[in-house]
Amino acid sequence: MNTGRRTLAALIAALSITAVAACSEADTPEAASTTAVPTTRGSGAPEPKAGDGSVVSKFAGSPWLLGDVPERATPADSSKPPIKVGFMNIDSGPIAATPELHQATDAAIAFINAELGGVGGRPIEIVFCETDLGVDKAQACARLMVEQQVVAVLGGLNLSAGAATKILEENDIAWVGGIPLDPAEMASPIAFQFSGGAPGAFVAFADHAAHVLGAKRVAVLYANTPQISVAAVDYGIAMLKALDVDVTEIAFDLTTQDYASIVQRAAEASPDAMLVGAADFACPKVMQAIADLALDTTIYMVGSCADAKWIEQVGAEKIAGTIFNIESRVERTGPYDADIEIYTSVIDQYGKGVNAKGAATVAFRGAMNLYAVLTDLGDDPTSAEVIDAFRGAKERKSFDGYPYTCDGKQIPELPSLCASQEVLVSIAADGQTFSEESDGWIDVPKLVAEYLR
């Protein structure tokens, strides 16, 4: 087990995988979110320079996503026609609203246009459409993207994304990045995502519990929604059973308020480990129920539950040792690039108040990975060329993430997951420190191929 640690004060780097969204009553929503586990400077990290006020000048010459950071900022030519890129997201409402994804996307595009010269000198223009929980709005937004002739759509968080991607498929428009939730979205041939979604999380949990912890009995608790039940049952539980682990399965309704009895039922099976598929408002309730029962077992929870607000609500000392999944390294090894430092500086300079510590990382990664592809295609890219470029990507560098391959073969049942690898981290009693529990990256596609086919 690695012992490298990072402090919560610099909570900016890693993408938590799982945003589990659900439609519940407004007073008890299990809304979607994601979080980041902290990063601090490690050996070899680029030190910011005085610069000229631009982000790139602070890190000039340092390696990052696009090679070496340029010496000075170059603005896009505003007289040239813009390249239109779509963005769909739930910005408002009582359930699943993640406006930070929109804010981070705007920050990334502002940075690209102000300092990276746009795409061959042409600025990028965001075509935004706000979605909600329903299919009708998702389809309407997708039609707007077709009408606006965008070269690609950046995915935010969309509970009915499958309805949108179907229309985009018919018009050869790529769906890039975002938080994968809808099973249909993860199966779409024009979706390219740099996350393992909930399936990646549960495969990583099951592998670690069986192979590292040596668990013989595991309880799996999960919200009974399509977004999480498929992951918990078809990937987590199936993986555990393939490893000859005895499984206690407990699905709970979104409207439940009695998490204590749910956890008690799981505890009665005397599990060596407990895998929990819940997010947002359910996180502190499950954490508190586990703490109240003083369970002597290893707890695995999706990364969204590592959000500081939930940890503070319960008390970090009560959840010490809980293991979460993320999608970036906590302990850095090998060549060090400036992706994280640039991200933080861009959010600070262009983010207009967005919190850099949470779901903003998801949107920023997607925007930068799309920009890297657009720069390869030149100043007149087409939507079909974008799709071909992503489909042909093999071990391509991802912005502060695992190199992605989008041939649809990583997890054939979920072809949109281009980089489903995970890292597991545990939280210390101070609530400020995370340590890697996995030995670096967990190769989810390899595990799926070995145990689930």
Side-chain angles (χ1 to χ4, degrees), residues 104-166:
T105 299
D106 284 347
I109 300 307
F111 169 58
I112 289 166
N113 288 338
E115 301 194 19
L116 300 180
V119 179
R122 294 176 63 185
I124 295 176
E125 175 186 326
I126 288 291
V127 176
F128 173 63
C129 187
E130 182 166 5
T131 58
D132 54 24
L133 305 178
V135 169
D136 290 346
K137 186 61 175 178
Q139 291 175 333
C141 283
R143 293 189 187 99
L144 174 65
M145 301 305 164
V146 175
E147 293 169 3
Q148 290 292 312
Q149 298 181 326
V150 301
V151 297
V153 177
L154 289 166
L157 186 147
N158 298 274
L159 304 189
S160 298
T165 55
K166 180 175 177 58

Side-chain angles (χ1 to χ4, degrees), residues 304-328:
S304 56
C305 290
D307 193 299
K309 63 179 176 289
W310 306 137
I311 294 173
E312 292 168 1
Q313 185 173 325
V314 178
E317 71 282 357
K318 294 181 181 180
I319 62 169
T322 300
I323 296 175
F324 303 96
N325 66 291
I326 62 173
E327 289 169 351
S328 187

